[in-house]
Amino acid sequence: MAKTTDSGSRTLISDAQIGRGRGRVFYWIVLVAVVLVFTLVFIGPLYWMVTGALKSGQEIARTPPTLFPKHPEASNYSDAWNNLNLGKLMFNTFYYAAGAVIFQLIFDTAAAYALSKLRPIFGNVVLGLMLATLMIPAMVLIVPQYVTAIDLPVVHLSLLDSPWAIWLPLIANAFNIFLLKRFFDSIPEDLMAAAMVDGASPLRTLWSIILPMSRPILGVVSIFGVTAVWKDFLWPKLVMPSTETQTLSVGIYAFSGGSPMNVVVAASVIAAIPTVVIFLIFQRNIMAGLTTGSLKG
């Protein structure tokens, strides 16, 4: 039965029960068990990938698998870097990710600002239609997107092996627009009114007032854009058939056909390092950007 604590909030177990002998022991057992289970679920695959990259080909294929590499082979990483040409693949992926972030920040910010502060006619209808696209499975859109990419309407150009084939589908991101709009909604209207009194145009207000206050959410959108390009496989596989324009995920997949599994795993570790580093550096910005603006003050 739910209990009410002194602070007035209802909890499953009261503070008095937790403070008793058996209640305290039960509480810590459940807490430790839950933490350990979720830690294994999330850290387990990462641990297997890192240790597997140090194993020999025979050891990584052994059943049951070993927890620790018996004879670590650090040369797997150098073999993966040289044989797979990871430097070229990583440059391609960074290039595509940088372009996607720039275009998303420009167009998604403009759309969110218009819907939040300029309030055009039927703005809520447009926002609702954009959010409705989030209900459509991404796989359903693959065929029409690919048909568009191989023969761009009006101009009749093929976007295959062009970075625009990756950038254009990512520009209009309904989730990012909604995220930015919610943040812009939390910015007081008094600032907008003061800017109008001073004679600032809507574009000037966006540049001088809105954007400087929106650095946390802009950082979140940037990180989402980078990770979306970095982890995507199917779309780059379709529109980047040339080996010179492949991304990391596609290049590693192509390399895995007749290559030792330990070298492929080492390549996967190298490919995962940049995104892990980005998260560790900007994790506070991510949480601040996602929570700021969720409540109006």
Side-chain angles (χ1 to χ4, degrees):
M1 182 176 179
K3 301 293 183 179
T4 303
T5 61
D6 295 338
S7 60
S9 60
R10 297 177 62 83
T11 59
L12 188 63
I13 304 176
S14 67
D15 293 338
Q17 289 176 317
I18 295 177
R20 295 172 186 170
R22 291 185 178 180
R24 191 180 188 86
V25 173
F26 177 76
Y27 169 79
W28 281 106
I29 290 176
V30 172
L31 178 63
V32 171
V34 170
V35 171
L36 287 177
V37 168
F38 277 92
T39 300
L40 291 176
V41 169
F42 289 103
I43 303 298
L46 183 63
Y47 173 79
W48 183 92
M49 182 174 66
V50 173
T51 56
L54 296 173
K55 297 178 182 179
S56 63
Q58 295 77 11
E59 186 178 2
I60 197 173
R62 182 177 301 174
T63 303
T66 57
L67 293 178
F68 307 98
K70 293 184 178 180
H71 304 286
E73 298 181 2
S75 60
N76 292 337
Y77 289 100
S78 60
D79 292 341
W81 182 271
N82 296 325
N83 298 341
L84 187 55
N85 195 14
L86 282 179
K88 174 64 175 178
L89 295 176
M90 195 168 291
F91 172 80
N92 290 343
T93 310
F94 269 119
Y95 177 62
Y96 302 147
V101 168
I102 292 173
F103 286 118
Q104 281 186 353
L105 290 180
I106 294 174
F107 291 99
D108 292 357
T109 300
Y113 175 68
L115 293 171
S116 175
K117 298 303 182 183
L118 303 184
R119 296 187 177 89
I121 301 176
F122 303 119
N124 291 333
V125 176
V126 173
L127 179 62
L129 292 175
M130 285 193 299
L131 294 179
T133 61
L134 297 177
M135 302 297 107
I136 303 175
M139 294 299 101
V140 176
L141 302 176
I142 288 294
V143 173
Q145 283 183 350
Y146 183 73
V147 172
T148 304
I150 60 178
D151 185 16
L152 197 64
V154 181
V155 294
H156 299 291
L157 294 176
S158 175
L159 299 180
L160 297 185
D161 284 326
S162 169
W164 292 102
I166 292 180
W167 293 340
L168 289 179
L170 291 175
I171 289 176
N173 190 302
F175 178 74
N176 287 344
I177 293 175
F178 175 73
L179 205 63
L180 289 164
K181 180 185 179 300
R182 290 294 299 166
F183 188 93
F184 293 162
D185 287 343
S186 67
I187 297 177
E189 293 292 336
D190 295 342
L191 293 176
M192 302 292 297
M196 292 179 61
V197 170
D198 291 339
S201 63
L203 183 59
R204 179 68 177 179
T205 303
L206 172 64
W207 181 261
S208 301
I209 297 178
I210 303 297
L211 291 183
M213 298 178 63
S214 305
R215 289 178 182 175
I217 195 65
L218 294 178
V220 171
V221 171
S222 301
I223 294 172
F224 284 170
V226 171
T227 55
V229 174
W230 206 271
K231 69 180 182 181
D232 196 10
F233 169 77
L234 180 57
W235 184 245
K237 173 66 176 175
L238 293 174
V239 298
M240 298 294 179
S242 172
T243 56
E244 294 297 319
T245 59
Q246 287 178 343
T247 61
L248 267 172
S249 58
V250 177
I252 293 175
Y253 168 78
F255 176 74
S256 62
S259 304
M261 182 56 63
N262 55 341
V263 179
V264 175
V265 174
S268 301
V269 173
I270 297 174
I273 289 176
T275 53
V276 174
V277 172
I278 289 174
F279 171 78
L280 293 177
I281 294 176
F282 297 104
Q283 58 178 325
R284 291 187 179 181
N285 302 75
I286 296 174
M287 296 308 298
L290 290 176
T291 56
T292 303
S294 59
L295 296 174
K296 284 189 177 181

